Amino acid sequence: AATTLVSQLPVFAQPLSADPTSGRQLATKLCSSCHRVLPMILTDKADPPSFQSIADLPSTTGLSLNVFLHSNHKNMPNIILSQTESDDLIAYILSLKKQ
């Protein structure tokens, strides 16, 4: 019964093929001119926020990051990512989340 229930729920997790290492390289290339993208021990209050700060927000999920990355933002360049790049970047950000 539990298996049936779980199989009926929408899947919001990152695809198994998402590569956080590739996402880190992409973040370094595309995002590091404004964001601190590497893991940090201490959180910051910078604007724009570090990827660590973003990852540590309780509201940060694969779904919320996917929506954010595919929306326009007035203070960010309009970066067009393929689905694979988006999945990899999201996997990297989620890998920073403190357990």
Side-chain angles (χ1 to χ4, degrees):
T3 305
T4 303
L5 178 61
V6 170
S7 67
Q8 293 174 352
L9 295 174
V11 177
F12 295 118
Q14 282 310 105
L16 295 176
S17 61
D19 180 7
T21 302
S22 178
R24 179 178 176 157
Q25 292 170 344
L26 187 64
T28 301
K29 178 180 166 188
L30 297 178
C31 310
S32 64
S33 62
C34 297
H35 294 273
R36 288 167 51 190
V37 300
L38 299 178
M40 298 171 17
I41 295 171
L42 301 174
T43 58
D44 67 344
K45 303 295 183 207
D47 189 23
S50 69
F51 276 28
Q52 183 72 61
S53 294
I54 294 167
D56 291 339
L57 291 171
S59 60
T60 298
T61 64
L63 179 62
S64 70
L65 290 170
N66 191 46
V67 169
F68 182 83
L69 289 174
H70 292 96
S71 302
N72 290 329
H73 299 90
K74 66 179 180 177
N75 295 328
M76 280 181 51
N78 190 19
I79 298 172
I80 307 297
L81 300 172
S82 71
Q83 190 61 53
T84 299
E85 290 171 327
S86 178
D87 291 345
D88 291 351
L89 187 57
I90 291 167
Y92 173 62
I93 293 170
L94 292 178
S95 77
L96 298 174
K97 193 177 267 293
K98 291 186 175 101
Q99 302 301 327

